[in-house]
Amino acid sequence: MSNRIYLYPVWIRIWHIINAILFLVLIFTGIALRFAGQENAVSLIRFDQAVAWHNVAAIILTASYVIFVIGNAISRNGRYYRIKKENFWTELIAQFKFYAFGMFRKEKHPFPVNEERKFNPLQKISYVLAMYAGMPVLIITGFGLLFPEILIQQFFGISGLLITDVLHFSIGFILSVFLIVHVYTCTLGQKPGTLFKSMMNGYHEEHD
Amino acid sequence: MKIALTSLIVALISVISLTDKHAPVLQEPQDEYQVEKGRENNIFAEDNENCLVCHGEEYYQLSDTAQDKSERRIMPSNYYVDRDEYYQSNHWSFGCLDCHPYDFEKFPHPTSARLEEPFHCNDCHGFDEQYAHYHFDEITEEYNESVHDDIEGFSCWKCHDPHSYEITIRTSENLEETILYDNNICLECHANYDKFQLLSSRDEIRIVSSHDWLPNQAAHFKSVRCIECHTEISDSLLVAHKLRPADKAVKRCTECHTSNSRLLATLYKFQSKKIRNDAGFVNGVILNQSYVIGANRNPAINMLSFIIFGGVVLVIIFHIFMRLIKK
């Protein structure tokens, strides 16, 4: 017996797959740019091609991000990202404990998915940080690197471009790590493939 | 203290030079950037005015006193010397007759003086211990192998106008200005077909379209000098002089966009040497003063990111392992 909840509307699923593909392109080309010409490294893409792909993917990602923000603002999906102050840390620790120990002891999920709660507290905070803090910084610094003439030349004696680059790389790296953790946590459903299936058909399935 | 010393040096030079009016004021290379430039510090400035009264003006007055006739004429641009540029140039402290024959004092200038072979760089700078560290002999060797050497009528002066050239890369505090100054030397002919065709019968070079392949062209033109890609790297020279044919120019992005960037041996050579000596950090200059994609690698950030990445992967592997054994 299973409960099916329709949690992932079509627009979210389309946005999600586009976002995922673009992110992979950006990580791959970003690494190629960052470590270009490294001795003993096998270069899978030419530098100029990596620049072109990175720029195009970044511009599409920006457009897709704008759609995501607007979509969340005008649809019901936005409410899943709202963080409440009360019990914030307690819930976060409870969820962490579940991932670290509880799930191995076959304990019940402390925050089961329902129509009002798509994300557990740990997912919620990481998604909010990734999408509403990391992404804007990544996009703004990316545009700074694309149009270096708009940047402050020197900031306390350090190149403005360099500061922008360090920020862009650092946030890009953090979001890449987030992506890996995100993909892994998606295998923590009822079966390893359950949550991936949900992202395809839109339905979250709970088995009794 | 520095100003007092500088004044003392200038005063000493003045006294010595007064004993031999036409002795060139050669400074010790180490003093080169310490003596304040300018017309007021040139002891020949007054004498130079005898020449600059005509050659320092865009128009000059040609007079025939016997017939009481005079005419205002345009000074040809190659005979014109801008006073402001001259007194800020490398040769700012010289009198005109240090380099030009004394017969030029006579007017009209005698044909013999006008046909006299002018000095070349090495007549003063070559084979001189005082200037050995500038490697003028090697510069000549590189120039002789450069594409410019094949052009009839070309000489050092075409790029390094002795009346205005000012060395910038050694003293630069603003790299962008240095890049602009140096690129303008190239563009004076390569972006001005009127001038270009005086020396070459080649078709006009269209800089923008011939560099169409270069991504973010404007940023490149602003951030690097033409010679970064168009010369062969020289180990001993601060500025390479062996200009290669266009088809041999650097076109592979990763020659610059890498941690072992070509720019460390070209544009940033002087600064990187200095910083390497001071701090022992190879690409410090690129890290702190500019930004080159692929070349700016902060080892600390790289190491930290590898540690974080490795840590996350290990945690995931451990989690998978736990899931498998607790299944």
Side-chain angles (χ1 to χ4, degrees):
Chain A
M1 176 80 189
S2 71
N3 287 328
R4 296 181 92 211
I5 313 166
Y6 189 67
L7 280 182
Y8 310 102
V10 176
W11 78 269
I12 275 283
R13 280 179 279 153
I14 293 173
W15 166 81
H16 190 261
I17 191 70
I18 290 173
N19 201 54
I21 293 166
L22 291 171
F23 228 87
L24 290 174
V25 171
L26 286 162
I27 290 172
F28 176 69
T29 52
I31 290 171
L33 295 177
R34 179 83 186 169
F35 299 101
Q38 189 84 311
E39 273 174 45
N40 308 322
V42 182
S43 184
L44 296 174
I45 185 167
R46 255 183 22 222
F47 186 89
D48 55 330
Q49 289 173 339
V51 170
W53 277 95
H54 200 79
N55 291 349
V56 170
I59 290 165
I60 303 172
L61 183 88
T62 306
S64 132
Y65 178 71
V66 171
I67 291 169
F68 171 79
V69 172
I70 295 172
N72 272 352
I74 60 175
S75 77
R76 286 167 54 83
N77 195 58
R79 75 199 150 110
Y80 297 123
Y81 293 86
R82 279 181 210 131
I83 296 171
K84 286 176 191 155
K85 276 184 191 170
E86 66 255 31
N87 302 325
F88 173 76
W89 289 107
T90 328
E91 291 182 354
L92 207 62
I93 292 164
Q95 181 60 42
F96 182 79
K97 277 182 178 168
F98 174 75
Y99 279 145
F101 314 105
M103 63 179 290
F104 304 124
R105 296 181 196 137
K106 309 285 181 220
E107 286 176 11
K108 283 214 161 204
H109 201 295
F111 305 97
V113 173
N114 56 42
E115 279 186 15
E116 294 307 311
R117 183 172 52 217
K118 187 157 81 169
F119 307 131
N120 67 49
L122 214 50
Q123 280 178 314
K124 198 187 281 187
I125 186 67
S126 55
Y127 295 171
V128 167
L129 284 175
M131 296 312 295
Y132 291 102
M135 281 295 284
V137 178
L138 193 69
I139 289 171
I140 291 166
T141 52
F143 271 88
L145 296 174
L146 191 59
F147 302 104
E149 62 276 11
I150 62 173
L151 293 173
I152 302 166
Q153 295 287 310
Q154 292 279 314
F155 189 74
F156 291 111
I158 301 172
S159 157
L161 261 169
L162 175 65
I163 297 169
T164 312
D165 171 62
V166 169
L167 264 175
H168 189 73
F169 169 75
S170 306
I171 302 292
F173 171 75
I174 292 167
L175 290 183
S176 307
V177 171
F178 163 80
L179 176 71
I180 295 168
V181 176
H182 178 59
V183 171
Y184 177 66
T185 52
C186 287
T187 66
L188 302 178
Q190 293 273 336
K191 290 177 188 168
T194 309
L195 295 177
F196 293 102
K197 204 172 141 194
S198 301
M199 227 30 217
M200 302 297 286
N201 61 22
Y203 287 94
H204 179 85
E205 285 188 40
E206 284 288 332
H207 299 269
D208 292 333
Chain B
M1 185 67 181
K2 204 180 257 182
I3 296 169
L5 269 175
T6 310
S7 314
L8 190 68
I9 292 166
V10 172
L12 272 173
I13 289 168
S14 313
V15 171
I16 294 162
S17 306
L18 282 172
T19 57
D20 177 4
K21 199 180 170 190
H22 293 298
V25 187
L26 289 172
Q27 288 119 32
E28 289 293 323
Q30 62 268 27
D31 294 338
E32 215 166 324
Y33 310 114
Q34 290 171 18
V35 181
E36 206 175 319
K37 290 178 177 180
R39 186 182 185 279
E40 60 284 0
N41 291 328
N42 182 311
I43 55 166
F44 302 112
E46 218 170 286
D47 293 340
N48 287 350
E49 275 309 304
N50 292 331
C51 305
L52 294 175
V53 68
C54 293
H55 290 282
E57 305 296 333
E58 286 175 2
Y59 291 90
Y60 69 101
Q61 200 77 23
L62 184 63
S63 307
D64 183 350
T65 45
Q67 293 187 50
D68 193 25
K69 197 176 165 190
S70 75
E71 204 173 282
R72 194 166 175 256
R73 290 198 168 173
I74 293 175
M75 176 59 68
S77 61
N78 50 335
Y79 292 131
Y80 169 73
V81 175
D82 184 301
R83 284 183 185 80
D84 292 338
E85 283 183 2
Y86 176 67
Y87 287 118
Q88 287 304 317
S89 74
N90 279 12
H91 295 132
W92 70 273
S93 62
F94 283 69
C96 302
L97 298 181
D98 289 335
C99 304
H100 297 286
Y102 297 157
D103 277 354
F104 271 116
E105 276 185 320
K106 295 174 194 161
F107 190 83
H109 303 316
T111 311
S112 59
R114 297 173 71 174
L115 289 176
E116 200 169 301
E117 180 80 8
F119 283 139
H120 287 284
C121 300
N122 277 348
D123 292 332
C124 294
H125 294 290
F127 316 105
D128 186 333
E129 277 305 306
Q130 194 182 15
Y131 291 97
H133 69 290
Y134 293 135
H135 304 281
F136 274 93
D137 311 334
E138 280 176 61
I139 289 175
T140 309
E141 277 172 33
E142 286 213 346
Y143 171 75
N144 289 340
E145 290 177 48
S146 126
V147 286
H148 280 160
D149 188 50
D150 301 334
I151 302 166
E152 208 186 320
F154 208 93
S155 70
C156 310
W157 305 141
K158 296 295 175 201
C159 302
H160 306 291
D161 184 336
H163 298 115
S164 62
Y165 182 69
E166 189 184 0
I167 220 155
T168 51
I169 192 75
R170 281 192 187 86
T171 53
S172 174
E173 284 179 5
N174 184 334
L175 208 52
E176 214 167 280
E177 277 177 15
T178 302
I179 290 163
L180 181 68
Y181 181 87
D182 286 357
N183 283 350
N184 278 341
I185 292 174
C186 306
L187 295 176
E188 205 165 309
C189 291
H190 287 278
N192 178 352
Y193 194 52
D194 289 342
K195 211 163 174 186
F196 184 81
Q197 60 185 351
L198 292 175
L199 288 166
S200 173
S201 52
R202 282 179 58 185
D203 288 340
E204 185 175 2
I205 297 171
R206 297 192 183 274
I207 301 283
V208 173
S209 54
S210 65
H211 290 82
D212 263 351
W213 62 275
L214 189 63
N216 214 344
Q217 197 188 79
H220 276 99
F221 284 178
K222 206 175 134 194
S223 314
V224 288
R225 300 169 301 178
C226 310
I227 57 170
E228 261 61 90
C229 302
H230 289 277
T231 56
E232 201 168 279
I233 288 179
S234 166
D235 290 330
S236 50
L237 297 180
L238 180 60
V239 178
H241 278 72
K242 192 169 166 183
L243 281 150
R244 303 190 288 190
D247 61 342
K248 295 265 170 58
V250 170
K251 267 195 154 180
R252 206 158 54 91
C253 310
T254 46
E255 289 208 26
C256 293
H257 294 280
T258 178
S259 57
N260 190 23
S261 175
R262 174 187 177 86
L263 295 176
L264 288 168
T266 55
L267 179 62
Y268 302 113
K269 191 172 191 172
F270 189 69
Q271 288 99 324
S272 58
K273 256 186 178 176
K274 220 174 131 196
I275 288 173
R276 194 159 48 215
N277 289 340
D278 296 346
F281 193 43
V282 179
N283 60 355
V285 61
I286 297 190
L287 279 170
N288 296 326
Q289 294 177 17
S290 356
Y291 170 79
V292 183
I293 298 171
N296 296 65
R297 287 181 199 164
N298 187 319
I301 294 179
N302 282 356
M303 183 53 73
L304 186 68
S305 55
F306 285 129
I307 291 170
I308 294 172
F309 183 79
V312 168
V313 171
L314 282 177
V315 168
I316 289 175
I317 291 171
F318 180 70
H319 206 264
I320 294 171
F321 175 73
M322 290 299 288
R323 280 168 71 188
L324 289 173
I325 60 167
K326 295 283 180 182
K327 209 170 179 180

